[in-house]
Amino acid sequence: MRTNVGLWWVLSAFFFLVAVIYTWWNLVNNTGEVVNRIEWVGTIALLFTSFMSLLIAFYVSRVHRAQGGELPEDRLTAEIDDGDPELGEFSPWSWWPIVLAFAAAIGMIGLAVGTWLMPIGIGVFVVAIVGWVYEYYRGYFAR
């Protein structure tokens, strides 16, 4: 976690430095004369990238401080099993996540190609969500 915190602080400083260099590069012409023209889209995009990485760095540092200790990833003597928490119950045999991804793909294609695909994508999405939520209530794996 300490490595992640340091990485985000460095990335924030890097993007800010690149924004300053990019702005200076736009102010100076290739021949060395000052043009006094800034390309605002790139400058603002790089500044916002710097601010977003600054927000992530701040958040990750607060989370690291709130944990009150080192994570297994921070110790050189840690084993793989030390950082293996219980994440939840997942069904390795379930086909519903694939159907859900198919519904999302149909929805995105509907946004890009034609709006007539959106109701089809939404219908498949509703069926996939209901099927995934209720897969333990019916059939072979009912509880």
Side-chain angles (χ1 to χ4, degrees):
M1 183 68 103
R2 279 184 287 161
T3 305
N4 294 338
V5 172
L7 175 71
W8 284 108
W9 287 114
V10 168
L11 276 176
S12 177
F14 170 76
F15 284 125
F16 184 76
L17 178 67
V18 169
V20 170
I21 291 172
Y22 184 82
T23 306
W24 174 79
W25 194 288
N26 282 309
L27 287 174
V28 176
N29 195 359
N30 289 338
T31 60
E33 57 189 65
V34 177
V35 181
N36 289 331
R37 187 179 62 204
I38 297 174
E39 199 275 316
W40 287 105
V41 174
T43 301
I44 298 299
L46 286 169
L47 282 175
F48 278 179
T49 305
S50 174
F51 293 145
M52 283 189 289
S53 58
L54 185 71
L55 286 171
I56 293 172
F58 176 73
Y59 174 76
V60 172
S61 66
R62 295 289 294 186
V63 167
H64 177 64
R65 191 175 309 138
Q67 285 176 346
E70 289 185 344
L71 293 176
E73 294 87 14
D74 294 333
R75 296 190 319 254
L76 294 175
T77 59
E79 297 291 329
I80 293 175
D81 291 337
D82 293 342
D84 188 21
E86 180 67 34
L87 295 176
E89 182 178 339
F90 301 100
S91 304
W93 59 84
S94 180
W95 288 87
W96 291 113
I98 297 172
V99 177
L100 195 62
F102 178 70
I106 289 176
M108 290 300 116
I109 290 172
L111 284 175
V113 175
T115 56
W116 61 272
L117 281 172
M118 286 298 294
I120 297 170
I122 291 171
V124 174
F125 177 80
V126 168
V127 169
I129 285 292
V130 170
W132 200 10
V133 167
Y134 290 111
E135 76 178 336
Y136 284 116
Y137 292 98
R138 301 189 53 144
Y140 183 70
F141 299 105
R143 295 182 181 187

